[in-house]
Every structure is written in C-alpha cells, then in structure tokens.
Amino acid sequence: WGGIQQGGTCLAVFGTTRPNVLTLSGLFCILIPCLVLHSYCPVLAGEAPGWVYVLCGVGIFAYMTLDNIDGKQARRTRSGSALGQLFDHGVDGIVVSLMQVIIVTMLQLGISKFSFWTLFMGYYGFFGATWEEFHTHHMTFGVVNGPCEGILLVVFLCFLTAFTGADMWTWDYMDVLPWKIFGRLPPMSLNVLMFYLTLIFLVITIFTNFRNTYQKLATRGEFITAVTQWLPIEILNIAAAVVWTYSWESVMKFPLVFVLTFGLLFAYINSTLILKHVAAEEFPILSHHFIPILVVAGNSYLNASGYHLFDPTAALLVLFLYVLGAYFHFAFTVTNTIATFLRIRVFKIAFR
C-alpha cells in the first residue's frame, strides 16, 4: 500500500476526511467479518463458506491499510494531535480481540486452552509495544513485526483457508510440511504448530520490549517500577483463566461474550497507559474496575467448589454489560475532554 500513502493519492481518495474517521472505519472492517464468521462458527470452530474467509481477509487488509493511512492523512491535513494517537491505539486495542476471534476460529482451535492463550498472546504483544513506548517514547518494530508482516500472514491464511477449507488446520503437520526441520517434533496438528510458532515470536518480541526499556531507563530501580505496570494485565489474565476454567459451561454458551468482556478490559488498560503517556502522568497500577472482575472470578471458583452464590452465566453477562458501559463511558469522556481542550472536532478537520 506504499503508493496509496503518497500525498497526492491520499488527497485524491480521502480529501479532507478526518483521520479519526479512517481509524474508526478500520474497526468496522474487522468487526463485520468477525461477526459474520462467528454466526457460522459460534463455538470458535467449524466450517464456514469460503466467501466468509475471503471477507475476513479483505476486512483485515482494509483495516491494516486504513491504520497506516490515518497517520499520513493527519500529517497531510495538519490535523495530528494527542487525541489522534489515543484514538488510533484505542481502536487497535479493540481490534486485537476481534482479530484473535477470527484467527482462533479459522484455525479450528475451538474453546480450548490454545484459544485462551492465543487471545492473551495478542494482549501481551500489544501491551508490550505500548509499555515500551510509554518509557522510551518510541514504538520499535523489528524487521518482521505483527502490525505489518503478521497481519499480511493472517490475510494470506484467510485466503488459503477459503481455498482449502478450514478442516486443513486439523491435519497432522507432517502430512502437509514433510520437512526435516520438523522431523523431531512430536505429532501435532497444523493449528497447534501455528500456536507454538506464534508463541516463539511473541517471546522474542516481549524480550525485545524489556531489553529496550531496560536500556532506556536510568536505574535498575526505575526498571523494576516499570515492570510493576504489567500487574493489571496479569490480574486480567488470572481472572480470565479462573472464569474460563471454573465457568466452562458459561464460556461454551457465550464464547464471544467472554472474549469481548476481557478484550474491552484489555483495551481499557492499554488505552489508560496511552492516555498517561500522552498526558505525561503516572500509570495507575490498580483501578476500581477490577473489583467486578474479581467478584465474577471468585463466584466462578466458589460455584465450582459447591458454594452457589450467583449463576455463572448471568454473572458473565452482567460483567460484559458493565465492561461495555464502562469502556465507552471512558472513551467518550476522554475523547470529549481532549477535543474540548484542544478546540478540535473528533470527526471533522476544523470548526465550521
């Protein structure tokens, strides 16, 4: 998409379109295919029509393109601001969960431990990049990185799945990849192999985030303080694992609700980190929003132990509604406050 990022082409295609409009459009490019795929595969596995996987691939590519163009459009129209940075990364935080739903479903991982950790691999990777930027003021990407090559790989896999069928991912990898490099690995399906390969790249990426942050901070004490900022993600991970493990039937009934609940919680944590970076303030380790999460997780554990307090399914649905309302209240309040302070419009270039 290098050509479309050039100023002349950008002007011809988007004119004076507000960059935030492009960013928000990218969100819907992922949301619509995700919901369509989930309507065919409600348990994060199953065969969908080929055109659905094509739709997913096109939607993901469109999102990636708009996510790259919005910054160029902001510079071209001289409308770049702290709000644009927060809006861009805030949308990306939501997209992480939606894209993981597409990936998990396409790979036929179903409602399994691999699905759970695939979801959180996305969270860890994105938070690591944001955390590094918070301390180094730079978001560093390697030669091969998730936002570019990683997304292009997912697009390719969507088109490949449309051609071969999703059942391909359940085949033994040796039937498809009879390479000597894999010869000493234990038998496993292609989707599990993809999971472990992704895990390897994630570990390398997070190691790079920690190394760059350590080199930037002046003292070891500052680095230890910075590491404590991962605590909210760990609390989220533990709470999600408890609900996943002890409210299994509830997750089976509403897997997308589970993903969106903890996905929006992640988006809130990540957006808060970005907000504090923009405002040059300290990142709060704990928030009152963790209270209902811990209550629902504790309820799941107690119900599994024979102490019946609240219905786990009802508790999960109530938590989802709470998180949905809390996140969009946060997003509206922060967006409106920054826009008012900077005297700019969120979806227009300037006041009319």
Side-chain angles (χ1 to χ4, degrees):
W1 60 89
I4 200 170
Q5 286 192 6
Q6 300 303 315
T9 306
C10 207
L11 173 63
V13 176
F14 299 109
T16 57
T17 302
R18 182 75 186 180
N20 291 337
V21 173
L22 303 179
T23 304
L24 189 62
S25 299
L27 172 61
F28 286 99
C29 288
I30 295 288
L31 177 62
I32 293 174
C34 176
L35 294 178
V36 172
L37 178 61
H38 189 70
S39 68
Y40 282 98
C41 308
V43 293
L44 307 183
E47 190 76 41
W51 65 267
V52 175
Y53 299 110
V54 173
L55 177 65
C56 291
V58 171
I60 293 172
F61 184 79
Y63 155 75
M64 179 185 64
T65 302
L66 292 172
D67 190 45
N68 280 274
I69 287 177
D70 56 6
K72 178 71 176 181
Q73 178 74 344
R75 292 187 291 272
R76 192 192 64 78
T77 58
R78 298 181 180 178
S79 58
S81 66
L83 176 61
Q85 180 185 6
L86 180 62
F87 199 90
D88 185 18
H89 289 310
V91 167
D92 290 342
I94 298 175
V95 166
V96 170
S97 297
L98 299 176
M99 191 173 299
Q100 297 304 85
V101 170
I102 292 175
I103 294 172
V104 164
T105 305
M106 177 181 64
L107 295 182
Q108 302 295 294
L109 290 174
I111 304 176
S112 65
K113 61 181 180 181
F114 295 109
S115 295
F116 179 86
W117 288 112
T118 297
L119 179 66
F120 270 87
M121 281 196 294
Y123 296 163
Y124 279 114
F126 194 82
F127 185 82
T130 307
W131 175 74
E132 179 187 337
E133 183 184 21
F134 181 88
H135 293 284
T136 66
H137 308 292
H138 296 285
M139 185 171 282
T140 306
F141 297 111
V143 177
V144 178
N145 61 81
C148 185
E149 286 80 9
I151 291 181
L152 286 175
L153 175 61
V154 174
V155 172
F156 169 76
L157 294 180
C158 286
F159 292 145
L160 177 64
T161 304
F163 177 75
T164 63
D167 185 61
M168 173 193 72
W169 298 108
T170 63
W171 300 346
D172 190 285
Y173 74 91
M174 286 302 295
D175 295 334
V176 183
L177 305 172
W179 303 334
K180 293 183 179 180
I181 190 173
F182 294 111
R184 297 182 180 179
L185 294 178
M188 68 180 74
S189 56
L190 271 175
N191 50 13
V192 174
L193 178 63
M194 287 291 296
F195 170 84
Y196 284 119
L197 291 175
T198 304
L199 179 60
I200 292 172
F201 280 106
L202 174 67
V203 171
I204 295 173
T205 299
I206 293 181
F207 172 80
T208 303
N209 297 144
F210 273 76
R211 184 197 61 191
N212 293 343
T213 303
Y214 179 80
Q215 292 174 347
K216 180 68 176 182
L217 297 179
T219 66
R220 184 172 298 178
E222 288 183 351
F223 178 72
I224 293 175
T225 301
V227 171
T228 62
Q229 294 174 334
W230 283 78
L231 182 60
I233 294 297
E234 297 307 324
I235 294 175
L236 184 68
N237 190 346
I238 294 171
V242 170
V243 174
W244 183 280
T245 302
Y246 295 104
S247 295
W248 180 256
E249 293 183 358
S250 302
V251 177
M252 286 288 290
K253 291 179 181 177
F254 301 103
L256 188 60
V257 170
F258 174 88
V259 172
L260 292 180
T261 298
F262 288 94
L264 287 173
L265 284 167
F266 164 75
Y268 169 77
I269 295 171
N270 202 70
S271 296
T272 301
L273 183 62
I274 297 167
L275 175 63
K276 298 306 179 182
H277 170 65
V278 170
E281 297 179 352
E282 290 296 322
F283 173 62
I285 301 299
L286 299 177
S287 167
H288 65 276
H289 291 302
F290 283 114
I291 296 175
I293 307 170
L294 297 176
V295 169
V296 171
N299 178 71
S300 297
Y301 177 77
L302 291 175
N303 269 275
S305 302
Y307 300 95
H308 300 288
L309 301 179
F310 309 104
D311 178 67
T313 301
L316 178 61
L317 294 175
V318 170
L319 178 62
F320 169 69
L321 294 176
Y322 170 80
V323 170
L324 185 66
Y327 180 79
F328 282 103
H329 175 265
F330 164 80
F332 176 81
T333 302
V334 170
T335 300
N336 186 60
T337 300
I338 296 178
T340 301
F341 178 79
L342 296 178
R343 293 187 57 80
I344 59 177
R345 294 285 181 88
V346 179
F347 298 114
K348 291 184 179 180
I349 295 296
F351 289 101
R352 298 294 183 184

